[in-house]
mmCIF file with all atom_site columns, all heavy atoms in Angstrom:
data_model
loop_
_atom_site.group_PDB
_atom_site.id
_atom_site.type_symbol
_atom_site.label_atom_id
_atom_site.label_alt_id
_atom_site.label_comp_id
_atom_site.label_asym_id
_atom_site.label_entity_id
_atom_site.label_seq_id
_atom_site.pdbx_PDB_ins_code
_atom_site.Cartn_x
_atom_site.Cartn_y
_atom_site.Cartn_z
_atom_site.occupancy
_atom_site.B_iso_or_equiv
_atom_site.pdbx_formal_charge
_atom_site.auth_seq_id
_atom_site.auth_comp_id
_atom_site.auth_asym_id
_atom_site.auth_atom_id
_atom_site.pdbx_PDB_model_num
ATOM 1   N N   . ALA A 1 4   ? 71.034 -69.164 -52.006 1.00 94.00 ? 4   ALA A N   1
ATOM 2   C CA  . ALA A 1 4   ? 71.291 -70.193 -51.001 1.00 94.00 ? 4   ALA A CA  1
ATOM 3   C C   . ALA A 1 4   ? 71.704 -69.503 -49.707 1.00 94.00 ? 4   ALA A C   1
ATOM 4   O O   . ALA A 1 4   ? 72.589 -68.646 -49.724 1.00 94.00 ? 4   ALA A O   1
ATOM 5   C CB  . ALA A 1 4   ? 72.388 -71.134 -51.478 1.00 94.00 ? 4   ALA A CB  1
ATOM 6   N N   . PHE A 1 5   ? 71.073 -69.882 -48.589 1.00 95.00 ? 5   PHE A N   1
ATOM 7   C CA  . PHE A 1 5   ? 71.367 -69.175 -47.346 1.00 95.00 ? 5   PHE A CA  1
ATOM 8   C C   . PHE A 1 5   ? 72.794 -69.421 -46.871 1.00 95.00 ? 5   PHE A C   1
ATOM 9   O O   . PHE A 1 5   ? 73.382 -68.569 -46.207 1.00 95.00 ? 5   PHE A O   1
ATOM 10  C CB  . PHE A 1 5   ? 70.329 -69.509 -46.270 1.00 95.00 ? 5   PHE A CB  1
ATOM 11  C CG  . PHE A 1 5   ? 69.181 -68.558 -46.305 1.00 95.00 ? 5   PHE A CG  1
ATOM 12  C CD1 . PHE A 1 5   ? 68.047 -68.832 -47.057 1.00 95.00 ? 5   PHE A CD1 1
ATOM 13  C CD2 . PHE A 1 5   ? 69.271 -67.344 -45.645 1.00 95.00 ? 5   PHE A CD2 1
ATOM 14  C CE1 . PHE A 1 5   ? 67.016 -67.920 -47.137 1.00 95.00 ? 5   PHE A CE1 1
ATOM 15  C CE2 . PHE A 1 5   ? 68.236 -66.424 -45.709 1.00 95.00 ? 5   PHE A CE2 1
ATOM 16  C CZ  . PHE A 1 5   ? 67.112 -66.707 -46.453 1.00 95.00 ? 5   PHE A CZ  1
ATOM 17  N N   . SER A 1 6   ? 73.348 -70.588 -47.239 1.00 96.00 ? 6   SER A N   1
ATOM 18  C CA  . SER A 1 6   ? 74.740 -70.839 -46.867 1.00 96.00 ? 6   SER A CA  1
ATOM 19  C C   . SER A 1 6   ? 75.649 -69.766 -47.469 1.00 96.00 ? 6   SER A C   1
ATOM 20  O O   . SER A 1 6   ? 76.536 -69.241 -46.788 1.00 96.00 ? 6   SER A O   1
ATOM 21  C CB  . SER A 1 6   ? 75.152 -72.222 -47.357 1.00 96.00 ? 6   SER A CB  1
ATOM 22  O OG  . SER A 1 6   ? 74.803 -72.391 -48.709 1.00 96.00 ? 6   SER A OG  1
ATOM 23  N N   . VAL A 1 7   ? 75.419 -69.419 -48.727 1.00 96.00 ? 7   VAL A N   1
ATOM 24  C CA  . VAL A 1 7   ? 76.282 -68.434 -49.387 1.00 96.00 ? 7   VAL A CA  1
ATOM 25  C C   . VAL A 1 7   ? 75.980 -67.023 -48.887 1.00 96.00 ? 7   VAL A C   1
ATOM 26  O O   . VAL A 1 7   ? 76.876 -66.186 -48.763 1.00 96.00 ? 7   VAL A O   1
ATOM 27  C CB  . VAL A 1 7   ? 76.133 -68.528 -50.920 1.00 96.00 ? 7   VAL A CB  1
ATOM 28  C CG1 . VAL A 1 7   ? 77.048 -67.546 -51.602 1.00 96.00 ? 7   VAL A CG1 1
ATOM 29  C CG2 . VAL A 1 7   ? 76.440 -69.932 -51.390 1.00 96.00 ? 7   VAL A CG2 1
ATOM 30  N N   . ILE A 1 8   ? 74.691 -66.769 -48.578 1.00 97.00 ? 8   ILE A N   1
ATOM 31  C CA  . ILE A 1 8   ? 74.343 -65.451 -48.036 1.00 97.00 ? 8   ILE A CA  1
ATOM 32  C C   . ILE A 1 8   ? 75.070 -65.232 -46.712 1.00 97.00 ? 8   ILE A C   1
ATOM 33  O O   . ILE A 1 8   ? 75.693 -64.194 -46.479 1.00 97.00 ? 8   ILE A O   1
ATOM 34  C CB  . ILE A 1 8   ? 72.809 -65.335 -47.852 1.00 97.00 ? 8   ILE A CB  1
ATOM 35  C CG1 . ILE A 1 8   ? 72.134 -65.328 -49.224 1.00 97.00 ? 8   ILE A CG1 1
ATOM 36  C CG2 . ILE A 1 8   ? 72.451 -64.082 -47.068 1.00 97.00 ? 8   ILE A CG2 1
ATOM 37  C CD1 . ILE A 1 8   ? 70.629 -65.285 -49.159 1.00 97.00 ? 8   ILE A CD1 1
ATOM 38  N N   . PHE A 1 9   ? 75.042 -66.257 -45.826 1.00 97.00 ? 9   PHE A N   1
ATOM 39  C CA  . PHE A 1 9   ? 75.743 -66.135 -44.545 1.00 97.00 ? 9   PHE A CA  1
ATOM 40  C C   . PHE A 1 9   ? 77.245 -66.050 -44.756 1.00 97.00 ? 9   PHE A C   1
ATOM 41  O O   . PHE A 1 9   ? 77.927 -65.242 -44.128 1.00 97.00 ? 9   PHE A O   1
ATOM 42  C CB  . PHE A 1 9   ? 75.395 -67.318 -43.627 1.00 97.00 ? 9   PHE A CB  1
ATOM 43  C CG  . PHE A 1 9   ? 74.115 -67.107 -42.865 1.00 97.00 ? 9   PHE A CG  1
ATOM 44  C CD1 . PHE A 1 9   ? 72.996 -67.891 -43.096 1.00 97.00 ? 9   PHE A CD1 1
ATOM 45  C CD2 . PHE A 1 9   ? 74.030 -66.101 -41.917 1.00 97.00 ? 9   PHE A CD2 1
ATOM 46  C CE1 . PHE A 1 9   ? 71.823 -67.684 -42.401 1.00 97.00 ? 9   PHE A CE1 1
ATOM 47  C CE2 . PHE A 1 9   ? 72.861 -65.883 -41.209 1.00 97.00 ? 9   PHE A CE2 1
ATOM 48  C CZ  . PHE A 1 9   ? 71.753 -66.678 -41.454 1.00 97.00 ? 9   PHE A CZ  1
ATOM 49  N N   . LEU A 1 10  ? 77.770 -66.901 -45.651 1.00 97.00 ? 10  LEU A N   1
ATOM 50  C CA  . LEU A 1 10  ? 79.216 -66.872 -45.910 1.00 97.00 ? 10  LEU A CA  1
ATOM 51  C C   . LEU A 1 10  ? 79.683 -65.480 -46.297 1.00 97.00 ? 10  LEU A C   1
ATOM 52  O O   . LEU A 1 10  ? 80.581 -64.903 -45.671 1.00 97.00 ? 10  LEU A O   1
ATOM 53  C CB  . LEU A 1 10  ? 79.580 -67.869 -47.026 1.00 97.00 ? 10  LEU A CB  1
ATOM 54  C CG  . LEU A 1 10  ? 80.953 -67.672 -47.677 1.00 97.00 ? 10  LEU A CG  1
ATOM 55  C CD1 . LEU A 1 10  ? 82.056 -68.054 -46.705 1.00 97.00 ? 10  LEU A CD1 1
ATOM 56  C CD2 . LEU A 1 10  ? 81.088 -68.480 -48.954 1.00 97.00 ? 10  LEU A CD2 1
ATOM 57  N N   . THR A 1 11  ? 79.041 -64.892 -47.314 1.00 97.00 ? 11  THR A N   1
ATOM 58  C CA  . THR A 1 11  ? 79.553 -63.634 -47.847 1.00 97.00 ? 11  THR A CA  1
ATOM 59  C C   . THR A 1 11  ? 79.333 -62.466 -46.887 1.00 97.00 ? 11  THR A C   1
ATOM 60  O O   . THR A 1 11  ? 80.177 -61.575 -46.787 1.00 97.00 ? 11  THR A O   1
ATOM 61  C CB  . THR A 1 11  ? 78.911 -63.318 -49.211 1.00 97.00 ? 11  THR A CB  1
ATOM 62  O OG1 . THR A 1 11  ? 77.493 -63.353 -49.062 1.00 97.00 ? 11  THR A OG1 1
ATOM 63  C CG2 . THR A 1 11  ? 79.333 -64.323 -50.262 1.00 97.00 ? 11  THR A CG2 1
ATOM 64  N N   . THR A 1 12  ? 78.189 -62.480 -46.147 1.00 97.00 ? 12  THR A N   1
ATOM 65  C CA  . THR A 1 12  ? 77.952 -61.356 -45.242 1.00 97.00 ? 12  THR A CA  1
ATOM 66  C C   . THR A 1 12  ? 78.816 -61.464 -43.988 1.00 97.00 ? 12  THR A C   1
ATOM 67  O O   . THR A 1 12  ? 79.338 -60.464 -43.502 1.00 97.00 ? 12  THR A O   1
ATOM 68  C CB  . THR A 1 12  ? 76.464 -61.277 -44.845 1.00 97.00 ? 12  THR A CB  1
ATOM 69  O OG1 . THR A 1 12  ? 76.043 -62.569 -44.397 1.00 97.00 ? 12  THR A OG1 1
ATOM 70  C CG2 . THR A 1 12  ? 75.597 -60.855 -45.993 1.00 97.00 ? 12  THR A CG2 1
ATOM 71  N N   . LEU A 1 13  ? 78.999 -62.693 -43.468 1.00 97.00 ? 13  LEU A N   1
ATOM 72  C CA  . LEU A 1 13  ? 79.781 -62.856 -42.242 1.00 97.00 ? 13  LEU A CA  1
ATOM 73  C C   . LEU A 1 13  ? 81.259 -62.557 -42.480 1.00 97.00 ? 13  LEU A C   1
ATOM 74  O O   . LEU A 1 13  ? 81.892 -61.815 -41.718 1.00 97.00 ? 13  LEU A O   1
ATOM 75  C CB  . LEU A 1 13  ? 79.611 -64.278 -41.683 1.00 97.00 ? 13  LEU A CB  1
ATOM 76  C CG  . LEU A 1 13  ? 78.275 -64.579 -40.998 1.00 97.00 ? 13  LEU A CG  1
ATOM 77  C CD1 . LEU A 1 13  ? 78.180 -66.052 -40.651 1.00 97.00 ? 13  LEU A CD1 1
ATOM 78  C CD2 . LEU A 1 13  ? 78.120 -63.740 -39.743 1.00 97.00 ? 13  LEU A CD2 1
ATOM 79  N N   . ILE A 1 14  ? 81.838 -63.140 -43.547 1.00 97.00 ? 14  ILE A N   1
ATOM 80  C CA  . ILE A 1 14  ? 83.271 -62.872 -43.750 1.00 97.00 ? 14  ILE A CA  1
ATOM 81  C C   . ILE A 1 14  ? 83.476 -61.418 -44.164 1.00 97.00 ? 14  ILE A C   1
ATOM 82  O O   . ILE A 1 14  ? 84.494 -60.817 -43.817 1.00 97.00 ? 14  ILE A O   1
ATOM 83  C CB  . ILE A 1 14  ? 83.940 -63.841 -44.760 1.00 97.00 ? 14  ILE A CB  1
ATOM 84  C CG1 . ILE A 1 14  ? 83.378 -63.698 -46.165 1.00 97.00 ? 14  ILE A CG1 1
ATOM 85  C CG2 . ILE A 1 14  ? 83.879 -65.280 -44.291 1.00 97.00 ? 14  ILE A CG2 1
ATOM 86  C CD1 . ILE A 1 14  ? 84.164 -64.475 -47.208 1.00 97.00 ? 14  ILE A CD1 1
ATOM 87  N N   . GLY A 1 58  ? 82.430 -68.286 -38.551 1.00 97.00 ? 58  GLY A N   1
ATOM 88  C CA  . GLY A 1 58  ? 80.997 -68.451 -38.840 1.00 97.00 ? 58  GLY A CA  1
ATOM 89  C C   . GLY A 1 58  ? 80.753 -68.557 -40.335 1.00 97.00 ? 58  GLY A C   1
ATOM 90  O O   . GLY A 1 58  ? 80.000 -69.417 -40.804 1.00 97.00 ? 58  GLY A O   1
ATOM 91  N N   . GLY A 1 59  ? 81.416 -67.677 -41.102 1.00 97.00 ? 59  GLY A N   1
ATOM 92  C CA  . GLY A 1 59  ? 81.269 -67.716 -42.552 1.00 97.00 ? 59  GLY A CA  1
ATOM 93  C C   . GLY A 1 59  ? 81.791 -69.015 -43.131 1.00 97.00 ? 59  GLY A C   1
ATOM 94  O O   . GLY A 1 59  ? 81.167 -69.624 -44.009 1.00 97.00 ? 59  GLY A O   1
ATOM 95  N N   . ALA A 1 62  ? 79.365 -71.752 -42.481 1.00 96.00 ? 62  ALA A N   1
ATOM 96  C CA  . ALA A 1 62  ? 78.205 -71.618 -43.369 1.00 96.00 ? 62  ALA A CA  1
ATOM 97  C C   . ALA A 1 62  ? 78.530 -72.133 -44.762 1.00 96.00 ? 62  ALA A C   1
ATOM 98  O O   . ALA A 1 62  ? 77.700 -72.773 -45.407 1.00 96.00 ? 62  ALA A O   1
ATOM 99  C CB  . ALA A 1 62  ? 77.767 -70.154 -43.435 1.00 96.00 ? 62  ALA A CB  1
ATOM 100 N N   . TYR A 1 301 ? 73.230 -55.500 -40.815 1.00 97.00 ? 301 TYR A N   1
ATOM 101 C CA  . TYR A 1 301 ? 73.499 -56.884 -41.183 1.00 97.00 ? 301 TYR A CA  1
ATOM 102 C C   . TYR A 1 301 ? 72.274 -57.534 -41.817 1.00 97.00 ? 301 TYR A C   1
ATOM 103 O O   . TYR A 1 301 ? 72.379 -58.213 -42.843 1.00 97.00 ? 301 TYR A O   1
ATOM 104 C CB  . TYR A 1 301 ? 73.970 -57.695 -39.966 1.00 97.00 ? 301 TYR A CB  1
ATOM 105 C CG  . TYR A 1 301 ? 74.404 -59.073 -40.371 1.00 97.00 ? 301 TYR A CG  1
ATOM 106 C CD1 . TYR A 1 301 ? 75.631 -59.274 -40.995 1.00 97.00 ? 301 TYR A CD1 1
ATOM 107 C CD2 . TYR A 1 301 ? 73.556 -60.164 -40.201 1.00 97.00 ? 301 TYR A CD2 1
ATOM 108 C CE1 . TYR A 1 301 ? 76.016 -60.523 -41.421 1.00 97.00 ? 301 TYR A CE1 1
ATOM 109 C CE2 . TYR A 1 301 ? 73.942 -61.426 -40.624 1.00 97.00 ? 301 TYR A CE2 1
ATOM 110 C CZ  . TYR A 1 301 ? 75.167 -61.599 -41.228 1.00 97.00 ? 301 TYR A CZ  1
ATOM 111 O OH  . TYR A 1 301 ? 75.549 -62.832 -41.678 1.00 97.00 ? 301 TYR A OH  1
ATOM 112 N N   . MET A 1 305 ? 71.894 -58.992 -45.586 1.00 97.00 ? 305 MET A N   1
ATOM 113 C CA  . MET A 1 305 ? 71.385 -60.317 -45.947 1.00 97.00 ? 305 MET A CA  1
ATOM 114 C C   . MET A 1 305 ? 70.302 -60.190 -47.011 1.00 97.00 ? 305 MET A C   1
ATOM 115 O O   . MET A 1 305 ? 70.260 -60.978 -47.963 1.00 97.00 ? 305 MET A O   1
ATOM 116 C CB  . MET A 1 305 ? 70.841 -61.028 -44.702 1.00 97.00 ? 305 MET A CB  1
ATOM 117 C CG  . MET A 1 305 ? 71.925 -61.619 -43.844 1.00 97.00 ? 305 MET A CG  1
ATOM 118 S SD  . MET A 1 305 ? 71.247 -62.514 -42.444 1.00 97.00 ? 305 MET A SD  1
ATOM 119 C CE  . MET A 1 305 ? 70.434 -63.867 -43.247 1.00 97.00 ? 305 MET A CE  1
#
Side-chain angles (χ1 to χ4, degrees):
Chain A
F5 270 92
S6 49
V7 182
I8 292 177
F9 276 114
L10 163 71
T11 54
T12 50
L13 285 173
I14 64 171
Y301 187 76
M305 281 183 66

